[in-house]
Amino acid sequence: MINRDLIRIKVVQLTYAYYQNGNKNMDTAEKELLFSLSKAYDLYNFLLELIVAVTREERYRSDVLSQRAEREGEEAPSQRFAFNRFAVQLEENNMLNEFVEDKKLTWNDDIEFVRKLCNQIEQSQIYKDYMAGAETDYETDRELWRRLYKALIQDNADLDALLEEKSLYWNDDKDIVDTFVVKTIKRFAPENRSKQDLLPEYKDEEDKDFACKLFRATILNADDYHRYMSETSRNWDFSRLAYMDVVIMQIAIAEMLTFPNIPATVTINEYVELAKLYSTPRSGAYINGMLDSIGRYLIETGKMFKELPDTRQRNQESGDGSFGSSSKTPVRFVHRPRIKEQPDAQTPDADSNSESVENGETEDQKNNL
């Protein structure tokens, strides 16, 4: 589940925090990076468990209404939603239940939110059409939850506030994790029953290694990377560059030089997107031009053995007439200092790594990089 898009986001956050932290400690920062990534996987499971919590609340409501109908001699209400086939399969899922038991993730303490969400679902046209529909197969049940999730959970201000109270990491992660939850819903198949696979935390060890190698290369080779920026910035106003832009370019150079199998154009486009999201309005275009110049410099000096098409061709291939690809799902970045959470008891100073990221910084902050 933790893909390279999410890893790049976390490396940007943790690199920024590393330089903002006066007591720089590589090992502590790396633990914080891995802990931050693991929290994204916790959120993935917690959001799947929300579907289960809603189903159980609806089942309780259905039981209450059925008992009332029996007492009053009326027809019992439909239990179609309470026993939605997809939701029942998710409720019985072995991987989810093991994870929830191990992490003690539960919605029991947030039952008021669950009830409010149930009310919103029952009032939605999606729910009303489902309950009135003639189709009663598994695909219909699964599609219902895909639509409900996208309409009422994916963009839910109350849920965002609740999750932020539980973990400041989750406020950063929810948008991208939502896409993985929807993907999981679509992958469920009735024949797999309780053994349906959820997305693994990492696709393979290579992705986990990617996070650590990228972060370490960024920090350990910072002086070299800054020199490359300076030597190729004659046509750019490098002295007025936003602090976050320096961080993003430093990581991009680390990726270009450390991972020979990742095309330079892919790297440039990825970090142009991050600049659009996290830095100043003009940062995307600036970083696009800078990284293109740096990439060509690295090729010409024999430091990198990759190819770069001419700028116009690369812009066309990226799908954007100006710079980078604009097809990615927007990801919010509202990182705040983490007060209560720690990656483990042996690294209590990890809190200091989570500092607020702003669009631009002072000249003194830039010099600290």
Side-chain angles (χ1 to χ4, degrees):
M1 187 216 80
I2 298 175
N3 65 6
R4 295 193 176 186
D5 288 340
L6 182 57
I7 289 171
R8 290 182 179 101
I9 290 169
K10 294 298 184 181
V11 171
V12 168
Q13 294 173 6
L14 268 296
T15 300
Y16 183 96
Y18 177 86
Y19 287 116
Q20 294 296 91
N21 176 16
N23 181 23
K24 298 173 184 176
N25 185 301
M26 174 70 76
D27 292 335
T28 299
E30 191 172 88
K31 287 182 181 179
E32 175 81 355
L33 170 63
L34 294 176
F35 179 70
S36 177
L37 288 167
S38 73
K39 292 300 293 181
Y41 194 60
D42 289 353
L43 178 59
Y44 165 73
N45 284 273
F46 196 52
L47 291 173
L48 287 173
E49 183 66 14
L50 176 58
I51 296 174
V52 175
V54 167
T55 298
R56 289 171 177 165
E57 170 63 20
E58 288 289 343
R59 202 170 293 154
Y60 169 76
R61 294 184 180 194
S62 179
D63 288 343
V64 170
L65 292 175
S66 294
Q67 293 172 13
R68 180 186 302 172
E70 184 177 356
R71 289 195 305 270
E72 297 176 358
E74 297 179 355
E75 183 179 356
S78 170
Q79 294 187 321
R80 182 179 184 183
F81 184 61
F83 289 92
N84 175 283
R85 293 172 179 84
F86 161 76
V88 170
Q89 184 184 6
L90 182 62
E91 182 180 21
E92 298 172 350
N93 185 266
N94 293 338
M95 287 182 65
L96 180 61
N97 286 325
E98 289 173 6
F99 192 92
V100 167
E101 178 62 27
D102 179 57
K103 297 287 186 175
K104 308 302 180 186
L105 291 174
T106 176
W107 286 90
N108 293 342
D109 294 334
D110 303 293
I111 190 62
E112 290 306 316
F113 170 78
V114 174
R115 289 169 178 163
K116 182 177 180 179
L117 180 58
C118 287
N119 293 339
Q120 292 172 337
I121 289 173
E122 291 173 4
Q123 294 165 12
S124 71
Q125 192 61 44
I126 297 172
Y127 172 86
K128 293 174 182 177
D129 291 344
Y130 168 78
M131 296 300 287
E135 298 292 336
T136 59
D137 54 22
Y138 179 91
E139 288 72 19
T140 301
D141 285 6
R142 183 183 57 201
E143 176 62 13
L144 168 77
W145 265 111
R146 188 193 68 82
R147 295 181 63 198
L148 287 175
Y149 191 95
K150 297 189 72 172
L152 299 175
I153 298 177
Q154 193 161 318
D155 187 15
N156 186 312
D158 292 335
L159 177 57
D160 292 343
L162 184 151
L163 293 175
E164 185 175 359
E165 289 180 3
K166 292 182 177 295
S167 172
L168 292 180
Y169 289 109
W170 286 356
N171 192 52
D172 294 339
D173 298 341
K174 184 173 182 294
D175 284 352
I176 195 166
V177 172
D178 280 334
T179 65
F180 293 124
V181 174
V182 173
K183 179 178 179 180
T184 298
I185 294 172
K186 293 168 65 176
R187 288 181 55 181
F188 259 59
E191 60 270 17
N192 294 330
R193 301 187 180 182
S194 63
K195 295 181 180 179
Q196 172 73 48
D197 287 337
L198 303 183
L199 297 177
E201 184 170 8
Y202 290 93
K203 181 180 67 176
D204 48 41
E205 279 299 313
E206 186 177 343
D207 276 354
K208 187 173 183 179
D209 291 341
F210 175 79
C212 295
K213 287 176 67 176
L214 179 59
F215 180 68
R216 283 191 170 268
T218 297
I219 303 301
L220 295 177
N221 302 301
D223 290 342
D224 290 338
Y225 300 160
H226 293 168
R227 188 173 70 254
Y228 303 154
M229 293 181 208
S230 297
E231 291 176 355
T232 56
S233 64
R234 293 170 188 152
N235 296 326
W236 302 87
D237 193 359
F238 184 70
S239 64
R240 301 181 63 183
L241 187 62
Y243 181 55
M244 176 57 78
D245 290 353
V246 177
V247 170
I248 291 173
M249 284 200 294
Q250 184 177 331
I251 301 167
I253 297 169
E255 182 172 314
M256 284 194 286
L257 292 176
T258 307
F259 301 94
N261 293 330
I262 300 177
T265 52
V266 171
T267 296
I268 293 174
N269 289 335
E270 291 288 347
Y271 290 97
V272 166
E273 288 301 314
L274 291 177
K276 292 179 189 178
L277 292 169
Y278 298 160
S279 197
T280 69
R282 301 179 64 181
S283 292
Y286 184 94
I287 287 180
N288 181 67
M290 278 290 296
L291 289 179
D292 186 81
S293 297
I294 292 168
R296 296 182 190 284
Y297 166 81
L298 295 174
I299 293 170
E300 291 168 2
T301 56
K303 296 178 177 65
M304 181 173 73
F305 299 97
K306 296 182 179 181
E307 296 182 354
L308 268 176
D310 65 70
T311 305
R312 182 177 300 178
Q313 178 184 347
R314 183 166 62 78
N315 288 338
Q316 290 174 347
E317 290 174 352
S318 71
D320 189 325
S322 56
F323 50 87
S325 169
S326 59
S327 61
K328 287 183 177 299
T329 302
V331 181
R332 294 166 303 172
F333 186 30
V334 197
H335 202 59
R336 298 181 176 87
R338 187 166 52 79
I339 299 172
K340 296 182 179 180
E341 284 191 279
Q342 293 179 351
D344 56 56
Q346 296 178 344
T347 58
D349 60 341
D351 285 0
S352 58
N353 280 339
S354 299
E355 295 290 334
S356 174
V357 176
E358 300 177 2
N359 285 345
E361 300 294 342
T362 66
E363 193 69 27
D364 289 340
Q365 288 173 313
K366 191 188 304 178
N367 290 337
N368 288 336
L369 188 62

